[in-house]
Amino acid sequence: MGSDGQLSVPNHTIIPFIIGDGIGPDIWRAAVRVFDAAVNKGYGGQRSITWKEVLAGEKAFNETGSWLPKETLDVFRTYLVGIKGPLTTPIGEGIRSLNVALRKELDLYVCLRPTKWYEGVPSPIKNPQNVNMVVFRENTEDIYAGIEFAAGTDEAQKLQRFLKQEAHVVYNFTDTTGIGIKLVSEEGSKRLMRSAIEYAIAHGLPSVTVVHKGNIMKYTEGAFKKWSFEVAETEYGDVTYTWGQWERVRAEKGQEAANAAQKEAEEQGRIIVKDMIADNFLQQILLAPKDFSVIATLNLNGDYISDALAAMVGGIGIAPGANINYKTGHAIFEATHGTAPRFANTNTMNPSSVILSGVMMLEYMGWQEAADIIVKALSQTIKNKTVTVDFYNLMDDALLMKTSEFADKIIEKF
C-alpha cells in the first residue's frame, strides 16, 4: 500500500487463500481455474497469480489443533490481499466466529457487498434488473462486537446492578436476563462513510443512502447518521448534496426552493446523500430499487440488508463479498454463503459466490480486464441455462451442470 493510498500489485503476484470447509474445496477448485484462465486470457502471460494456501476452520483444526493459526493471520498481514471459502464456526467454547475473528484481527472495517442481477438468474421479484446496489456495512462495531454476558452469570449481575444503581436504567432485570452491548463510535462511523462516498465518486454513482434505526437508538444509530452526514457535508461538500442541506433550504425558503436546489445538484452530477429508517428501507428496495445505489449502514442492519438484496437477484449462492481496510490495503474476499456440509465432495454446488468475489478481488487489484472477462462469460453461461442444481431447479429447459462443469462452461466462453 503506497503512501498515496494506492495499492501496488506486481505483475506476478502471490495471493493467500483459505480453501474453506464443507463445499469449500469443490467450489474453490472450480473458481481457481476460472481465475487463472481469465488472467492468462486477459494478459497473455504478462501477469499471473501464485496461490498460497493458508489454514483456517476444520482443516486447520485437524492439522494444527487451532481453528485459526497465527501463521494464517501473519500471511494475510504480509500479503495484504487474500480470498477464502466458507468456514465452519466451532460450536461451544473458543472463537465466536472465524469470519469475525479475521475481520477484527486485520481491522477490516468495511464489509463490501455488491448486488446486481445477471440475466437469466431466477428471481422472486418482477423486475430484478432494477436492483444494482453496493452495501458498505460497518464491520467491527455494533452488536457484532461480541460483548455479551449470559443470563445468571456474575458479569451479567454486576452489569445489571451498575445499570440500575449508577445509570438509573428503568428495566425489570432478572436472573434470566442476558445482556449485549451495542458499540458505535464516531471514528468507526466516519471511516465507513468516507469509504462509501469515495466508492460512489470512483464509480460515478448518483447517491449514498445512510440506513439506520436512529429513531429508536438515538445515541448509537442516530449518532451514526449524524456523523455520516458530517463527513458528507464537511469533507465532501464539493461533490455531495445532503438531505440535511435540503431540509435547511426548505426551512428558510420553502419546499419548492429545496426541491429546485436538489434538482440543480443532481444536474451538476453531485452525489445525493440521504438517509432512511432500516425497516422502511427493506420495503423500499422491493418497491423502488432504482432509487438506491450505494448503501452505508451498521453491522446488524447490513447483515439483514445484504442477504435480502441477494435473495432479490437469485440468492446468496451468487452473492460476492469482501472485507476491506482501505487505509492499510488489507482485504479478504469471500464466498458469502455457508459450508453446506451435507453437500461436501458432491461436486454439485454453485461456485458463483466465490467466483464473483474473485472478480471483486481482481478489480481491487486493478486487474479490470480479467475481471470483465469472467463477468461476461459467467453471465452468458447462466443466460444459456447451463447451470448448477440451485438454478436448474428453478429454470425451465435448463441443462444441469456439476460444479466443475459449470467452471468449464465459463472458461469456454473466454
Side-chain angles (χ1 to χ4, degrees):
M1 192 65 166
S3 58
D4 60 354
Q6 298 298 312
L7 198 67
S8 176
V9 182
N11 284 335
H12 301 284
T13 193
I14 299 171
I15 295 180
F17 72 96
I18 298 170
I19 198 166
D21 298 325
I23 63 172
D26 278 351
I27 62 174
W28 173 255
R29 284 190 289 266
V32 74
R33 290 194 294 111
V34 172
F35 303 149
D36 287 340
V39 170
N40 185 60
K41 178 71 174 179
Y43 306 110
Q46 297 301 307
R47 290 179 175 175
S48 66
I49 296 172
T50 297
W51 301 98
K52 180 181 179 65
E53 184 174 8
V54 292
L55 301 179
E58 288 182 349
K59 186 173 182 179
F61 185 77
N62 292 337
E63 293 188 16
T64 71
S66 171
W67 289 94
L68 183 58
K70 179 179 180 297
E71 180 187 357
T72 296
L73 294 171
D74 291 342
V75 169
F76 279 126
R77 285 193 186 96
T78 299
Y79 288 89
L80 295 187
V81 175
I83 189 168
K84 58 177 281 297
L87 291 176
T88 299
T89 295
I91 298 172
E93 299 298 322
I95 295 172
R96 185 183 299 267
S97 164
L98 291 169
N99 294 323
V100 171
L102 283 166
R103 294 166 194 167
K104 283 187 173 182
E105 288 290 335
L106 298 171
D107 195 25
L108 305 176
Y109 59 87
V110 168
C111 179
L112 185 64
R113 293 284 296 272
T115 305
K116 71 173 184 177
W117 181 71
Y118 293 91
E119 185 177 352
V121 174
S123 169
I125 64 174
K126 186 176 181 180
N127 294 304
Q129 69 274 11
N130 292 338
V131 180
N132 192 355
M133 302 179 212
V134 181
V135 177
F136 278 74
R137 167 187 168 191
E138 203 291 317
N139 220 7
T140 63
E141 299 186 333
D142 201 7
I143 293 294
Y144 281 25
I147 304 176
E148 291 186 296
F149 304 96
T153 60
D154 290 343
E155 294 85 356
Q157 291 173 353
K158 287 177 183 178
L159 189 52
Q160 287 178 23
R161 286 195 294 271
F162 168 79
L163 291 171
K164 286 192 293 187
Q165 297 170 12
E166 303 293 331
H168 308 294
V169 170
V170 179
Y171 184 83
N172 184 30
F173 291 106
T174 70
D175 288 341
T176 61
T177 303
I179 300 176
I181 295 179
K182 184 180 182 75
L183 302 175
V184 179
S185 72
E186 181 176 357
E187 296 77 15
S189 300
K190 286 187 171 181
R191 68 180 183 175
L192 179 86
M193 188 61 176
R194 289 186 194 105
S195 299
I197 294 174
E198 290 285 353
Y199 187 95
I201 293 170
H203 292 82
L205 297 174
S207 69
V208 176
T209 304
V210 178
V211 179
H212 61 91
K213 280 295 290 182
N215 56 329
I216 304 299
M217 293 170 276
K218 301 182 186 301
Y219 304 121
T220 50
E221 303 243 350
F224 170 71
K225 176 206 166 183
K226 171 179 172 288
W227 290 323
S228 296
F229 271 62
E230 284 178 5
V231 167
E233 293 186 11
T234 63
E235 299 181 28
Y236 295 92
D238 57 333
V239 295
T240 64
Y241 184 85
T242 72
W243 277 12
Q245 291 170 283
W246 182 89
E247 289 168 350
R248 288 193 292 274
V249 173
R250 185 179 66 165
E252 294 173 8
K253 301 180 180 179
Q255 184 159 338
E256 187 174 332
N259 291 343
Q262 179 169 326
K263 184 177 180 181
E264 181 182 2
E266 291 172 347
E267 290 172 349
Q268 294 171 349
R270 296 165 82 87
I271 298 165
I272 305 302
V273 179
K274 49 193 174 181
D275 77 286
M276 188 166 287
I277 302 300
D279 43 352
N280 184 31
F281 178 77
L282 288 168
Q283 293 185 77
Q284 296 306 318
I285 58 175
L286 291 168
L287 299 172
K290 281 187 175 180
D291 290 348
F292 308 102
S293 52
V294 178
I295 314 302
T297 191
L298 290 170
N299 213 333
L300 182 61
N301 291 334
D303 202 356
Y304 298 149
I305 289 166
S306 54
D307 279 16
L309 287 172
M312 293 167 65
V313 296
I316 203 165
I318 198 170
N323 303 284
I324 303 173
N325 183 319
Y326 285 101
K327 294 180 179 179
T328 65
H330 287 100
I332 298 179
F333 299 82
E334 63 179 354
T336 58
H337 52 72
T339 59
R342 70 192 181 101
F343 297 108
N345 303 312
T346 62
N347 193 27
T348 58
M349 294 292 100
N350 190 343
S352 295
S353 178
V354 72
I355 289 173
L356 289 171
S357 296
V359 167
M360 293 176 67
M361 182 185 72
L362 292 167
E363 291 174 337
Y364 184 72
M365 293 161 55
W367 294 16
Q368 190 65 50
E369 297 86 354
D372 291 342
I373 287 169
I374 295 173
V375 170
K376 184 177 179 180
L378 174 67
S379 301
Q380 190 62 48
T381 302
I382 294 171
K383 187 177 179 180
N384 290 351
K385 296 187 177 183
T386 48
V387 293
T388 49
V389 65
D390 53 336
F391 290 169
Y392 174 81
N393 288 335
L394 300 172
M395 289 179 169
D396 295 326
D397 304 319
L399 183 63
L400 180 61
M401 296 281 106
K402 292 185 177 296
T403 308
S404 55
E405 293 170 338
F406 183 72
D408 292 337
K409 290 293 182 183
I410 295 172
I411 294 168
E412 282 175 15
K413 289 173 180 58
F414 290 172

